[in-house]
Amino acid sequence: MDSVLLLGEAEGYIQSLEKMALRDMGSPRWFRQHEYIEKLNMQAILNASANQEEFIKDLFVSLGKIPTLVHAMILTEVWKHKVFPIICKLQDFKPKSTFLLYMVIHHEATIINLLETIMYHKESSEAAGDSVLDLLDYCHRKLTLLAGRSVSGQIPTEDRITHAQLSDTASVQDLQRQSDMLEFEISVKALSVLCYVTDHIESLSLSVLSRMLCTHNMPCVLVQLVENCPWNRGTLEKYTEGKWRTVRLEDQLKLSKHDGQVWMALLNLLLKPDCQRKYDFNSFNKTQLLKLRGFLTDVVIDQLPNLLDLRHFLSQLTVTDPAAPKKDLILEQVPEIWNNIVTENSSKWKAIAKYQVTHVFNPSESELREQASRLAQTYNLDVMENLIPDKPKCGACGRVGAKRCSRCQGEWYCNRECQVKHWPKHKPACKLMAEAIEKLQEELNISS
């Protein structure tokens, strides 16, 4: 399969990754790097399905490029918060195509997905160096936002539209709504990354531990996620594998992947000796942590037996007051990426937005045709299906899909009844995807 990267190709892609300026977002140089990261991400998915997860990880570790990935992700985050809202307010900005703008918005999700695969390994956390502090800050921002939106009922109720489903004529405001929906998916991925970092906390610096426990109080943030469970809609639907899916009756008490990650992160942060010595079990923290006892039922512990240790610890915590941590004088590292980007561009947000709408996001016909061609190659539907480790699932009930929608080719169903039942929900996305594919084919002058 031509989508599989050879060792030399993957090494060349990773070696070419470089830190960019905020003004370069969306430029041809940026687009080339985005294409490399997308292909590496697809390769990482393929490796995971073939139980060869270390292929891409080893290259990123040996070439020292994990900090570059973290920088690119945070750069996109800053752009989405500071520049993109200004672009959305420019009334005279009516680009011929919004695909490139969507690629910039989607860039953050691509990187966090790649980091989720890479950071599973201990060597990756060590190779991240000082940037692991920036990564922790990033995860904290995403998880506090996720918890806050869950409390206020602002969790998206629909699956986001993918790049293939997005109409080429979609407005900038449509992209803004899609960006908000994409934020939920990114936040869930950030939970995975945080869980993996806590798995390897013993091999990281004291500054990492201090920032996680003292600066950000991550145990209490995780308690909020256990309480509100943003990836569950009651017992009827759960967010799994990037989509909201109906839960079968026999699976309603089954922990999801995200539930398990929250509990594993809490186990690491509360029971590991180094963490217990560093964490301040004051009255507020103690009250928050004791809320977990109500969720540690026998059904939950049967699925994660290690949680029995956490239940014993919380039982002891109810009758004891652990000693306050010693306040040693230490030189603590601080994260720099977010602050450096914001400081460097603090008075230039509007200027950057105006430059980009003129020179970047308003391409000529020839540039648009070239971008369409490269996007078609990068996001080939057949390639993506070959990279999926599991069989396609029915969009209505979640069972194994046997046939897919003949119009858009993007949704699978197990039978005709499920397709008819799901049609009212699928119809808008189906129309957008079919129109986008038709338009793309016309631009490339290829047949269906």
Side-chain angles (χ1 to χ4, degrees), residues 262-318:
V262 173
W263 285 116
M264 292 308 298
L266 280 166
L267 273 172
N268 292 331
L269 293 177
L270 294 178
L271 299 190
K272 289 191 174 183
D274 289 344
C275 296
Q276 288 190 349
R277 286 191 292 269
K278 190 69 178 175
Y279 191 58
D280 186 2
F281 291 93
N282 56 41
S283 59
F284 172 80
N285 291 343
K286 183 175 176 179
T287 301
Q288 293 298 308
L289 294 176
L290 290 179
K291 293 179 180 179
L292 296 173
R293 290 184 301 168
F295 298 93
L296 287 171
T297 63
D298 291 339
V299 174
V300 171
I301 293 176
D302 284 343
Q303 296 175 68
L304 283 175
N306 290 347
L307 292 180
L308 187 60
D309 294 333
L310 180 59
R311 186 159 72 176
H312 289 161
F313 170 77
L314 293 175
S315 297
Q316 294 176 350
L317 191 61
T318 59

Side-chain angles (χ1 to χ4, degrees), residues 39-49 53 56 114 117:
K39 290 181 178 180
L40 290 166
N41 185 39
M42 292 179 187
Q43 184 69 38
I45 296 173
L46 177 63
N47 288 341
S49 65
E53 299 92 339
I56 295 296
L114 182 55
T117 303

Side-chain angles (χ1 to χ4, degrees), residues 191 229 231-232 238-240 247 251-263 303-304:
L191 171 63
C229 210
W231 37 82
N232 287 3
K238 290 188 178 184
Y239 186 80
T240 58
V247 181
D251 293 334
Q252 289 184 355
L253 296 179
K254 185 178 179 180
L255 291 178
S256 68
K257 170 186 173 182
H258 313 308
D259 293 320
Q261 288 172 335
V262 173
W263 285 116
Q303 296 175 68
L304 283 175

